[in-house]
């Protein structure tokens, strides 16, 4: 059995800061109804914090799992506005994104903080989905692998046992919400680089997702690449039919 067969595909919808109770109810119902027809692929959504309870109530028993878009690095205490991993576990979350480029850029999240959040998620039994990716200027100046290596370093330092329990997502910042997806070959090159780093410490079971303008019409070509194990989908995850078509690909 080759490694491609061993790693089950995973497609996660990142709703970002979109939706309300009424629109979520429709979207969740459509996802629930369509999930069974998608086949052998894990499907998940990451909702805004206030709607995680709604997602949990609606997706129970659907085969679709749910999670958050961020998590506190702290277990509990006087951290106004923060949400702990155990609170997410209390709502039966499976996942938490950590280190999304929007949080790195807008909230100054450092590589070290991202690793601390990943550890906090693991401690509560969640699977962190660790996002890495370079900006357009970093890509244009030929620094993609340096940036990715720097972002990975504090995670790699945690060792294989922890890293094997994570999921990684390569999201080139220049491809997020721009309609400008990386080509399958471009993405594969970075995924292979990430995989090599993870394998260098013996973490060989890790799923690596691609994110950045994934749509129903480019998903199949991306998923055909040997090191792309699925997708982290933004905009297209807000339309049930598009998201399900990506998962079906
Ligand atoms: P888009 O799919 O909207 O480009 O967003 C990607 C993303 O940031 C997912 O986390």
């Amino acid at each position: 059995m080759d490694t491609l067969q061993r790693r089950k595909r995973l497609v996660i919808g990142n709703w970002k800061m979109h939706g309300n109770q009424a629109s979520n109810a429709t979207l969740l119902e459509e996802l629930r109804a369509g999930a069974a027809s998608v086949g052998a692929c894990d499907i998940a959504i990451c909702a805004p914090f206030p709607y995680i309870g709604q997602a949990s109530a609606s997706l129970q028993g659907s085969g679709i799992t749910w999670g958050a878009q961020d998590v506190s690095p702290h277990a509990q205490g006087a951290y106004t506005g923060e949400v702990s991993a155990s609170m997410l576990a209390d709502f039966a979350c499976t996942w938490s994104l950590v280190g999304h480029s929007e949080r790195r850029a807008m909230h100054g999240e450092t590589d070290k903080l991202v690793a601390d959040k990943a550890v906090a998620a693991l401690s509560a039994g969640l699977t962190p989905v660790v996002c890495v990716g370079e900006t357009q200027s970093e890509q244009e100046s030929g620094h993609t692998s340096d940036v990715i290596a720097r972002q990975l370093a504090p995670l790699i330092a945690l060792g294989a046992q922890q890293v094997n329990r994570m999921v990684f997502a390569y999201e080139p910042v220049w491809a997020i919400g721009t309609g400008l997806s990386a080509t399958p070959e471009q993405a594969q090159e970075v995924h292979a680089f990430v995989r090599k780093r993870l394998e260098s410490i013996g973490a060989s079971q890790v799923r690596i997702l691609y994110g950045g303008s994934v749509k129903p019409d480019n998903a199949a070509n991306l998923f055909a690449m040997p090191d792309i194990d699925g997708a982290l989908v933004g905009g297209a995850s807000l339309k049930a039919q598009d998201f399900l078509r990506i998962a079906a690909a």
Side-chain angles (χ1 to χ4, degrees):
M1 193 161 53
D2 68 18
T3 49
L4 192 59
Q5 281 175 302
R6 279 207 307 270
R7 294 191 306 265
K8 192 173 180 194
R9 300 306 172 96
L10 168 63
V11 172
I12 301 179
N14 173 11
W15 288 2
K16 305 194 180 183
M17 200 173 73
H18 291 290
N20 55 47
Q21 293 200 64
S23 67
N24 296 343
T26 308
L27 176 54
L28 289 164
E29 190 40 54
E30 287 172 0
L31 291 178
R32 205 188 152 84
S37 62
V38 164
C41 165
D42 290 331
I43 307 177
I45 58 105
C46 290
F49 289 133
Y51 300 126
I52 287 174
Q54 184 186 19
S56 145
S58 167
L59 295 176
Q60 215 68 253
S62 67
I64 301 176
T65 52
W66 55 91
Q69 299 169 14
D70 185 31
V71 65
S72 174
H74 306 289
Q76 63 171 349
Y79 300 103
T80 301
E82 295 271 279
V83 174
S84 72
S86 63
M87 292 172 184
L88 300 178
D90 202 18
F91 282 88
C93 285
T94 301
W95 318 93
S96 179
L97 306 184
V98 298
H100 191 281
S101 63
E102 287 152 14
R103 297 208 59 85
R104 291 178 189 259
M106 293 179 225
H107 302 274
E109 294 197 4
T110 62
D111 302 327
K112 169 72 170 65
L113 178 63
V114 172
D116 289 347
K117 289 184 171 196
V119 170
L122 286 177
S123 308
L126 306 180
T127 300
V129 179
V130 181
C131 305
V132 297
E134 82 288 8
T135 64
Q136 182 163 19
S137 67
E138 288 164 342
Q139 194 233 11
E140 284 170 359
S141 60
H143 287 104
T144 298
S145 43
D146 301 342
V147 171
I148 306 287
R150 192 205 71 219
Q151 292 173 336
L152 289 176
L155 295 142
I156 301 272
L158 297 170
Q161 209 191 347
Q162 305 256 60
V163 171
N164 261 328
R165 293 161 60 209
M166 301 178 186
V167 165
F168 286 78
Y170 168 55
E171 298 205 306
V173 177
W174 48 269
I176 294 177
T178 57
L180 199 74
S181 173
T183 65
E185 293 73 20
Q186 272 175 321
Q188 165 58 28
E189 194 180 327
V190 181
H191 279 234
F193 176 80
V194 172
R195 186 160 325 279
K196 223 169 123 192
R197 301 301 273 214
L198 302 180
E199 284 180 348
S200 73
I201 57 158
S204 52
Q205 308 297 327
V206 181
R207 291 190 281 190
I208 307 173
L209 313 181
Y210 169 78
S213 299
V214 178
K215 307 286 177 216
D217 60 2
N218 62 13
N221 286 339
L222 287 160
F223 298 162
M225 293 290 132
D227 289 303
I228 299 182
D229 303 318
L232 182 55
V233 184
S237 73
L238 299 171
K239 292 191 192 128
Q241 292 324 313
D242 284 359
F243 186 58
L244 291 168
R245 278 174 63 206
I246 291 169

